[in-house]
Amino acid sequence: MGLRTTSKEMDQKSQAGPSGSNKSSVSLVSSLMRSWKITSNPSSQKSSNSNSNSYSNLSGNSSGDNRLNSGNFDAMSKQQTAAIKSSSSYSPLRYSTPVSGISVGESPRPLLYSNHRNGDHESSIKKDAYFKDLDEDWSAVIDDYNMPIPTIANGGISRSNSDNLTSTSLSKAYDPSLPLSRKVTNNSMKSSSSLGTNITQQGTAQSSHNLSYPQLPQLQKSVTSELKLQLEMENERELQKINSIMQRITKFDCIVSDKKIINQQELRQISWNGIPSIHRPKVWKLLIGYLPANTKRQESLARRKRQEYKDGIKHIFTEEHARDVPTWHQIEIDIPRTNPHIPLYQFKSVQNSLQRILYLWAIRHPASGYVQGINDIVTPFFQTFLTEYLPHSQIEDVEKLDPESYMTEEQIGDVEADTFWCLTKLLEQITDNYIHGQPGILKQVKNLSQLVKRIDVDLYNHFEAEHVEFIQFAFRWMNCLLLREFNMSAVIRMWDTYLAETSVETSSGSSTTFQSTGAAGTGSGESNPHTPLQPTNPTFQTPGSDYHSPSSHTNASSKNISSGENNRLRYSSLNEFHVFVCAAFLIKWSDKLMDMDFQEIITFLQNPPTAEWNENDIEMLLSEAYIWQSLYKDATSHWQ
Amino acid sequence: MNSNVTSVKLVLLGEAAVGKSSIVLRFVSNDFSENKEPTIGAAFLTQRVNIDDHTVKFEIWDTAGQERFASLAPMYYRNAQAALVVYDVSKPQSFIKARHWVKELQERASSDIIIALAGNKVDIVEDGGERKVATEEGQKLADEEGLLFFETSAKTGQNVNEVFLAIGEKIPIKKPNEHANNANADGSNDNNRVDITSSDNNAAAVSGCNC
């Protein structure tokens, strides 16, 4: 942010002193420090001409680009949508029309997947007005929350002891007394250094150049202007990327730590565009309504829910509990088959954890019970919550490390509990997907076909002609929330948005009920630890008597239906949005599919070429879904 | 390759985790993986085999085994000309389930459907594991109900191709393009051919299509 190395600035650099030279040579480290100062401590800018120069860019063009890089597709989509709507001549029949405005494709990939970054420069002018607004909004945020500047400055510069930090966060993951800002500042430095080996290496190489300052002018002279321009562009892009990431981290920090009551709406808005990995565990718990918005209550509630879970597990292994053997065995069979390509899920401790979570969930929800696919859905939660116990430099290694190597048994139990409750909260919103006959899925598949009929009638007709039925490929999309279609990192990014899609009113509403009833539940749980939770909490559709005999389906399912209807009203947004994502996903391949016959279509859709998809691709998909949702909002009115 | 291609719609049924997908994977790709993700809904695969002077193209719907997905099964067996019902020789429960599937197919599927019964995972027995369903039991059910019967191992490949060949031999030879879903039944559009003739236990000439 604010470090656009325009040629004008390049000229200025010789007069601007050391910091100016840094700018043109783009030392990653120093620019990181500097940019971070810019975003957090405007007053320090006045000390240096060149800095204030670049700061003035903050609310100018570059911020628009940064926003894009940071994945603010929400904003982009809104703008696109507005543009589309205002153009009366536009007929949204085929997909390519609206998208061509988003990304100007010079990439060899089809138009739809072209990297956002390619489009930035071409379209930045158009978007300036919009992003300027956002940017003002952003500076307002700084003023509003009075960021703890000194802490950040100290943390960013002098606190480099990662072991210290790790042990702190290990032992006090939920301690609100731990100043989060300190943690985060440290993290932000680290996370930005772990952005990718490319950047890191380049950064290191360049910073070593920087140390010997007098060589710099020679370096500059020796490169041709073209090369220089290319380098500039690259550096600029990387800087923007890093800056925007740091900006986001700081902003999340603001929202999550600085207030007594977390602003759920604000959190949802910013989370829609992706959550920094260091914030993800906590933000997910907030978004799904597991942790309350009231920060003072978070710790006690987490402790209580963890104890409840542990009591429930303890009960399973007592003799009083008549084990549901078929369910237990089914889960046991499926656990080794869950994410078989990811090492994490081959560790015995992880398999045991997942088995306990799934079994406890299944017996407490007898109307659905364990359904294949839930074993997939549990994994993003589990994996994400594990990262809370890893040093921030190792978050990306979570898929390779045995949790037993860095966590105590107690901590693993805590992660299990968090996972269990968040899984419960998520599945609560899609109850109809897993009850007998799976009406929720059938309905979603039908909605998808109707939507495609409206958005892309050619494709719809082609499917009809080839006798392709939507349920033949889309059943899995609904049953596993597209988890089987993407790699784990893409799925986790997608879930940032999905969890943010649970609508604000419902979630804050449910979190209050959760608190009050949760307290009642704990009371009974503590008085008699071997008694399972009474269904005081709306989470449980299971009548208490059903706990021991999960076979009494009639009673449970009637209860379930009523709560299902309730949920549909309260939680329509996630289900609805998912259908739009599926539509966007399908229409993405429209041109290809039009040339295929039945067999090729089914085979293609069963194995879509998404193995290499990264966060950018997912963000593109989500923003496309957002556009379709905005355009076809009326189509969904009868879905409820 | 002979141009007389008969398409056969085949559906796989059976309890969860008996090895339906593994049998198909062995047949189609001559491959095996120990921990295959559970099938959700149903998976579609195709494979061609040469039987005598004509080609049989299997269009296989590999259904999910879990009870909750059972309501989808009729959609897949309704128009099927052949069904392969699979159980796990080490799991008696899966044999009971196989019996149910046979019964349901005879009651509700097309009356001339060819049904084959496969007792899978015999490799476990050969490795000293415990067999819970005797060969005779499977054979008896097959005799009673008029089914083809094989004991198979997707892991070793034992009898996998044989099952499909036996089914293919019972299919009456038809003219191509009889099925709406099969516009390219003459094979001219097929690519990604996988040759699995190297499979040791493969008596007839088998050539694969993995598309």
Side-chain angles (χ1 to χ4, degrees):
Chain A
M1 169 74 71
L3 291 171
R4 279 175 79 90
T5 44
T6 63
S7 54
K8 193 180 155 202
E9 282 169 342
M10 293 284 288
D11 293 337
Q12 285 174 349
K13 71 153 172 54
S14 50
Q15 304 139 23
S19 63
S21 313
N22 280 352
K23 194 200 300 179
S24 55
S25 63
V26 199
S27 149
L28 187 91
V29 176
S30 63
S31 59
L32 262 179
M33 302 301 300
R34 212 146 49 84
S35 65
W36 155 80
K37 275 185 206 158
I38 288 168
T39 52
S40 63
N41 187 1
S43 63
S44 74
Q45 303 308 318
K46 284 158 193 160
S47 60
S48 152
N49 269 345
S50 62
N51 273 356
S52 62
N53 219 351
S54 58
Y55 182 60
S56 68
N57 272 334
L58 188 67
S59 47
N61 287 349
S62 60
S63 62
D65 289 350
N66 288 337
R67 287 283 167 172
L68 266 173
N69 277 337
S70 72
N72 194 344
F73 303 117
D74 183 18
M76 188 178 69
S77 320
K78 280 175 184 158
Q79 205 218 9
Q80 282 297 327
T81 311
I84 289 165
K85 277 182 173 163
S86 65
S87 153
S88 56
S89 63
Y90 171 69
S91 162
L93 283 178
R94 291 292 293 190
Y95 190 50
S96 50
T97 322
V99 176
S100 59
I102 293 176
S103 49
V104 181
E106 54 182 52
S107 84
R109 303 160 80 194
L111 205 60
L112 300 190
Y113 329 102
S114 66
N115 198 324
H116 296 285
R117 272 197 264 129
N118 293 344
D120 286 351
H121 298 285
E122 288 93 334
S123 55
S124 62
I125 301 162
K126 201 173 88 185
K127 292 184 172 70
D128 273 348
Y130 184 83
F131 287 110
K132 214 167 189 169
D133 287 349
L134 269 187
D135 207 69
E136 280 159 15
D137 188 30
W138 157 234
S139 38
V141 169
I142 297 176
D143 293 342
D144 279 359
Y145 306 135
N146 193 12
M147 296 223 349
I149 292 156
T151 332
I152 285 183
N154 287 337
I157 295 163
S158 64
R159 279 195 137 257
S160 56
N161 188 343
S162 65
D163 291 334
N164 190 10
L165 177 80
T166 310
S167 58
T168 326
S169 55
L170 263 177
S171 57
K172 296 191 170 184
Y174 268 89
D175 190 353
S177 66
L178 185 74
L180 205 67
S181 53
R182 190 184 72 202
K183 234 160 93 186
V184 167
T185 332
N186 249 324
N187 305 341
S188 45
M189 296 313 295
K190 258 176 243 141
S191 82
S192 51
S193 67
S194 62
L195 278 175
T197 39
N198 271 348
I199 297 173
T200 318
Q201 280 163 1
Q202 200 174 341
T204 322
Q206 282 166 345
S207 67
S208 68
H209 274 300
N210 251 352
L211 290 174
S212 50
Y213 165 62
Q215 289 178 0
L216 275 170
Q218 287 170 5
L219 187 77
Q220 294 292 336
K221 277 174 201 161
S222 63
V223 292
T224 68
S225 62
E226 262 178 59
L227 257 175
K228 205 158 74 182
L229 198 70
Q230 211 174 355
L231 268 173
E232 270 172 42
M233 299 277 278
E234 270 174 33
N235 291 333
E236 190 185 331
R237 266 207 292 264
E238 276 156 21
L239 271 176
Q240 286 174 357
K241 210 162 137 192
I242 292 160
N243 286 339
S244 66
I245 286 170
M246 297 196 46
Q247 210 185 8
R248 290 186 67 76
I249 288 172
T250 324
K251 196 164 180 181
F252 268 96
D253 189 28
C254 270
I255 297 173
V256 172
S257 68
D258 274 359
K259 282 186 279 182
K260 285 174 185 163
I261 308 282
I262 289 165
N263 184 338
Q264 286 269 2
Q265 193 165 358
E266 199 180 359
L267 188 63
R268 272 166 207 288
Q269 258 166 17
I270 188 176
S271 298
W272 207 97
N273 298 315
I275 304 169
S277 57
I278 54 165
H279 285 296
R280 190 170 276 128
K282 183 160 195 190
V283 173
W284 276 18
K285 290 173 197 171
L286 285 162
L287 291 174
I288 198 110
Y290 170 49
L291 286 184
N294 185 335
T295 48
K296 280 184 183 164
R297 305 196 57 169
Q298 285 174 357
E299 198 196 357
S300 62
L301 188 115
R303 201 171 29 210
R304 212 158 55 214
K305 300 311 277 184
R306 287 169 174 181
Q307 192 55 47
E308 276 178 34
Y309 169 80
K310 286 170 187 172
D311 290 343
I313 292 297
K314 220 184 281 171
H315 177 80
I316 289 175
F317 293 99
T318 61
E319 289 182 2
E320 295 150 51
H321 171 68
R323 180 165 294 183
D324 178 352
V325 177
T327 300
W328 179 264
H329 280 317
Q330 182 62 57
I331 294 171
E332 197 171 33
I333 288 167
D334 286 348
I335 291 293
R337 311 200 276 164
T338 304
N339 291 335
H341 48 284
I342 300 178
L344 175 67
Y345 298 96
Q346 312 314 310
F347 296 117
K348 201 64 208 164
S349 68
V350 173
Q351 297 191 342
N352 291 338
S353 292
L354 292 180
Q355 177 148 14
R356 285 190 290 264
I357 294 166
L358 290 172
Y359 179 71
L360 187 62
W361 187 88
I363 59 170
R364 287 190 171 189
H365 299 84
S368 61
Y370 169 73
V371 178
Q372 288 176 336
I374 297 178
N375 61 319
D376 295 302
I377 290 175
V378 72
T379 56
F381 283 127
F382 188 76
Q383 186 170 332
T384 296
F385 295 157
L386 282 178
T387 63
E388 234 173 340
Y389 298 85
L390 277 171
H392 298 297
S393 56
Q394 280 180 282
I395 282 183
E396 280 169 28
D397 296 333
V398 67
E399 292 190 349
K400 291 178 231 150
L401 300 170
D402 185 349
E404 278 189 325
S405 69
Y406 59 90
M407 290 168 75
T408 66
E409 207 177 311
E410 179 77 12
Q411 289 170 329
I412 290 177
D414 289 348
V415 167
E416 273 180 39
D418 294 349
T419 305
F420 172 81
W421 290 112
C422 289
L423 177 73
T424 304
K425 283 262 160 197
L426 180 70
L427 294 181
E428 202 176 282
Q429 302 180 29
I430 48 177
T431 321
D432 290 356
N433 286 9
Y434 303 109
I435 60 175
H436 180 72
Q438 305 193 271
I441 290 180
L442 299 182
K443 182 151 202 180
Q444 279 185 290
V445 170
K446 189 174 157 238
N447 288 344
L448 175 65
S449 74
Q450 292 310 303
L451 197 57
V452 172
K453 189 179 183 179
R454 290 193 61 180
I455 296 176
D456 191 342
V457 71
D458 293 348
L459 184 65
Y460 181 88
N461 290 338
H462 180 61
F463 277 11
E464 285 228 306
E466 290 293 330
H467 300 271
V468 173
E469 291 175 48
F470 278 72
I471 200 163
Q472 289 166 339
F473 60 86
F475 186 90
R476 190 172 79 181
W477 295 3
M478 307 305 174
N479 193 78
C480 303
L481 291 177
L482 285 171
L483 252 75
R484 294 276 183 95
E485 274 59 43
F486 304 120
N487 61 53
M488 185 56 92
S489 63
V491 163
I492 285 174
R493 169 61 193 89
M494 186 165 88
W495 278 33
D496 291 345
T497 303
Y498 271 33
L499 298 183
E501 268 293 323
T502 55
S503 63
V504 184
E505 321 80 63
T506 62
S507 184
S508 55
S510 83
S511 73
T512 40
T513 37
F514 196 86
Q515 283 171 37
S516 54
T517 55
T522 323
S524 68
E526 276 167 358
S527 64
N528 185 2
H530 291 290
T531 308
L533 266 186
Q534 297 306 303
T536 47
N537 190 315
T539 308
F540 297 118
Q541 305 129 10
T542 324
S545 57
D546 262 3
Y547 190 77
H548 290 276
S549 58
S551 52
S552 51
H553 276 255
T554 38
N555 185 12
S557 58
S558 65
K559 256 202 124 152
N560 193 56
I561 286 163
S562 62
S563 78
E565 278 169 2
N566 193 19
N567 284 341
R568 253 201 304 282
L569 289 173
R570 285 164 58 217
Y571 290 116
S572 62
S573 50
L574 176 63
N575 267 333
E576 183 188 303
F577 185 67
H578 181 63
V579 173
F580 278 99
V581 173
C582 290
F585 187 63
L586 180 62
I587 292 166
K588 197 175 262 298
W589 319 108
S590 187
D591 290 344
K592 277 187 184 175
L593 293 169
M594 289 298 288
D595 297 332
M596 294 182 181
D597 64 14
F598 172 85
Q599 183 178 312
E600 291 166 326
I601 290 169
I602 297 290
T603 309
F604 179 87
L605 291 176
Q606 279 181 168
N607 312 286
T610 52
E612 301 301 316
W613 271 38
N614 57 29
E615 293 195 355
N616 283 344
D617 299 300
I618 282 291
E619 284 170 351
M620 191 63 174
L621 179 72
L622 293 167
S623 64
E624 285 157 10
Y626 185 93
I627 295 172
W628 292 126
Q629 194 175 27
S630 309
L631 285 171
Y632 289 90
K633 196 76 188 168
D634 60 314
T636 66
S637 54
H638 63 283
W639 286 9
Q640 310 304 326
Chain B
M1 173 81 62
N2 196 295
S3 65
N4 293 326
V5 177
T6 308
S7 283
V8 179
K9 281 186 187 159
L10 183 146
V11 62
L12 268 96
L13 298 165
E15 201 181 55
V18 296
K20 295 180 293 299
S21 301
S22 292
I23 286 178
V24 180
L25 183 67
R26 173 63 73 189
F27 175 57
V28 170
S29 308
N30 195 18
D31 198 0
F32 179 77
S33 74
E34 196 71 53
N35 287 320
K36 257 184 108 15
E37 290 180 312
T39 305
I40 304 294
F44 179 77
L45 298 99
T46 61
Q47 173 66 301
R48 285 161 185 269
V49 278
N50 291 337
I51 297 171
D52 300 331
D53 63 341
H54 66 280
T55 301
V56 173
K57 181 183 167 199
F58 286 101
E59 299 171 0
I60 303 165
W61 278 108
D62 168 26
T63 64
Q66 207 196 357
E67 188 62 38
R68 183 53 42 88
F69 302 120
S71 56
L72 291 174
M75 193 174 86
Y76 294 108
Y77 67 61
R78 200 176 294 129
N79 300 316
Q81 294 137 284
L84 178 55
V85 177
V86 185
Y87 65 93
D88 176 347
V89 294
S90 67
K91 296 237 170 63
Q93 183 62 37
S94 70
F95 187 64
I96 296 172
K97 186 73 202 170
R99 234 181 241 282
H100 288 158
W101 277 124
V102 171
K103 190 158 172 273
E104 180 167 341
L105 285 169
Q106 287 172 337
E107 284 169 3
R108 300 175 62 184
S110 126
S111 57
D112 56 352
I113 190 168
I114 296 160
I115 305 175
L117 182 68
N120 194 33
K121 305 197 187 180
V122 286
D123 56 283
I124 293 178
V125 178
E126 278 150 22
D127 287 353
E130 200 182 345
R131 174 193 277 274
K132 299 277 181 58
V133 183
T135 309
E136 294 72 31
E137 278 187 82
Q139 190 62 58
K140 183 161 168 275
L141 176 63
D143 291 345
E144 282 168 8
E145 307 293 342
L147 320 173
L148 294 163
F149 176 65
F150 289 87
E151 286 198 330
T152 59
S153 166
K155 191 171 184 175
T156 64
Q158 180 183 336
N159 271 345
V160 170
N161 287 333
E162 282 74 0
V163 177
F164 288 93
L165 286 171
I167 293 170
E169 278 164 6
K170 287 191 81 175
I171 295 286
I173 299 167
K174 291 174 185 172
K175 289 286 169 205
N177 292 330
E178 199 157 303
H179 308 292
N181 289 347
N182 192 22
N184 65 338
D186 61 349
S188 59
N189 291 338
D190 288 352
N191 40 27
N192 298 329
R193 290 260 165 81
V194 176
D195 187 9
I196 59 163
T197 46
S198 57
S199 182
D200 291 336
N201 45 29
N202 190 2
V206 178
S207 78
C209 163
N210 194 22
C211 56

